[in-house]
Amino acid sequence: MVSLNEQAYEHLKNLIANQQLTYNRIYSETKLSRELGISRTPFRDAIHRLVQEGYIDIIPSKGFQLHQLTKKDVTETFQIRSALEGYCTVEIAKNASTAKAGKLLAELTKLTDSMEHIMQTSHSIEEFIEYDFQFHHKIINYIGNSQFSSIFASYMYRMKRLAALSLAHRGRMENTCREHTAILDALYAGNMEQVYENTLQHMNTPRGINLEDL
């Protein structure tokens, strides 16, 4: 059975994901918890979890509002991603000849092919992002480090918001596919130095776009 904390968390997250809450408006914990039929304690726990994941900000004695991304958010998010994914891609390249890495590379290639198909057809940013983050999630999960996976998951909302902003720029979808292909080529070759460089480039380009937007 799903706990009340988890119900409240999923309810709030879905409201945000479906754009049913708007920016620059303060929302009442009491009102929303009453609408959901959940007491304020599990609802408050859900709110604090969403604060940690970058969805919302608490306004003392008033309630909460959606979090507006800042340049600090952008910088910290890409620093986290660069550290995690840089390490993981080097480890994959180091073990490129193993069956485990070979299976992963086949999966990453398939995901990149799907992204290229979207780029050439619907150009749907939402669909593209889903394949994009499956690609990156598989890279993180390859290591089998639960802390890596947990940190990556906690930044997912913020990362997807930033991705949507950068992909709205002309040519970014095409460049993203090229960058994925460059990472894959270096992984297949087992080139640790090159894959690290390509991974950092894949982080630095959208970071620059996001910082300019803000």
Side-chain angles (χ1 to χ4, degrees), residues 22-29 31-32 57-66:
T22 58
Y23 288 94
N24 300 316
R25 177 179 172 184
I26 298 176
Y27 292 91
S28 165
E29 292 180 24
K31 183 180 177 181
L32 284 175
D57 295 320
I58 292 175
I59 310 300
S61 304
K62 293 183 179 180
F64 68 89
Q65 65 182 18
L66 296 184

Side-chain angles (χ1 to χ4, degrees), residues 105-166:
L105 292 177
E107 292 172 347
L108 297 181
T109 299
K110 187 175 180 180
L111 288 169
T112 300
D113 289 343
S114 296
M115 292 166 65
E116 289 178 348
H117 177 71
I118 292 169
M119 178 190 72
Q120 294 164 1
T121 55
S122 68
H123 227 263
S124 167
I125 290 176
E126 184 176 336
E127 290 179 41
F128 189 90
I129 285 173
E130 288 307 312
Y131 286 113
D132 184 16
F133 278 91
Q134 285 183 49
F135 181 97
H136 292 285
H137 208 221
K138 284 182 180 294
I139 286 173
I140 295 294
N141 287 343
Y142 171 86
I143 301 299
N145 185 315
S146 61
Q147 292 301 313
F148 279 19
S149 298
S150 178
I151 293 169
F152 191 78
S154 71
Y155 277 81
M156 187 60 70
Y157 173 70
R158 187 176 294 179
M159 290 188 296
K160 286 188 173 181
R161 279 190 65 197
L162 292 172
L165 291 171
S166 65

Side-chain angles (χ1 to χ4, degrees), residues 29-43:
E29 292 180 24
T30 303
K31 183 180 177 181
L32 284 175
S33 62
R34 189 184 299 124
E35 288 175 0
L36 186 57
I38 291 178
S39 64
R40 289 188 64 187
T41 299
F43 199 83

